[in-house]
């Protein structure tokens, strides 16, 4: 179940990243500078590093999360998780998954 949730979160984030990158000029991305600097410096997950290699890609991903009604509710928890994780253990995708899982009771079932 956790692996399925992690894969779903990974695919959703990838799709959001692509959608945001293809869109029009968006919001001020500088508000994500601090969190993206932490992600780029510390993230240990090779998939995260691949997707978030460029600072602008990371910023656009967080902006996309804030923009989407389905994900904006857990964006603050993701940011908090990233900030609290030890640098040598940070896995941004696990922060996304654990934050989304925590809101699972609030989201409608996909059955």
């Amino acid at each position: 179940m956790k692996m399925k949730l992690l894969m779903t979160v990974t695919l959703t984030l990838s799709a959001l990243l692509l959608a945001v990158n293809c869109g029009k000029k968006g919001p001020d991305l500088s508000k994500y500078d601090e969190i993206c600097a932490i992600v780029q410096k510390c993230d240990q997950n090779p998939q995260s590093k691949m997707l978030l290699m460029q600072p602008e890609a990371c910023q656009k991903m967080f902006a996309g999360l804030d923009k989407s009604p389905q994900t904006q509710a857990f964006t603050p928890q993701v940011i908090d998780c990233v900030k609290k994780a030890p640098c040598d253990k940070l896995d941004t995708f696990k922060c996304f998954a654990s934050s989304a899982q925590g809101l699972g009771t609030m989201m409608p079932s996909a059955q």
Side-chain angles (χ1 to χ4, degrees):
M1 179 67 176
K2 285 186 181 184
M3 183 58 136
K4 184 177 178 181
L5 178 62
L6 185 58
M7 289 301 295
T8 301
V9 169
T10 301
L11 292 173
T12 302
L13 293 175
S14 299
L16 276 172
L17 187 58
L18 288 172
V20 171
N21 280 327
C22 294
K24 306 173 213 165
K25 186 172 180 167
D28 177 23
L29 301 177
S30 64
K31 72 180 191 176
Y32 307 107
D33 286 348
E34 178 187 358
I35 195 68
C36 288
I38 294 169
V39 168
Q40 290 168 342
K41 177 183 174 191
C42 298
D43 201 307
Q44 302 299 310
N45 183 329
Q47 290 178 327
S48 298
K49 285 185 176 189
M50 184 178 69
L51 285 172
L52 307 174
M53 190 181 316
Q54 299 297 322
E56 189 176 4
C58 178
Q59 293 167 325
K60 286 183 176 184
M61 183 194 63
F62 277 101
L65 290 173
D66 272 345
K67 188 176 180 180
S68 171
Q70 292 84 13
T71 56
Q72 73 183 170
F74 70 88
T75 304
Q77 289 90 349
V78 174
I79 291 172
D80 190 50
C81 175
V82 168
K83 286 182 177 180
K84 288 182 177 177
C87 191
D88 63 338
K89 298 198 185 295
L90 176 61
D91 184 336
T92 304
F93 286 167
K94 283 186 180 176
C95 286
F96 285 115
S98 65
S99 297
Q101 189 174 18
L103 292 177
T105 56
M106 296 171 51
M107 295 180 177
S109 168
Q111 295 178 353

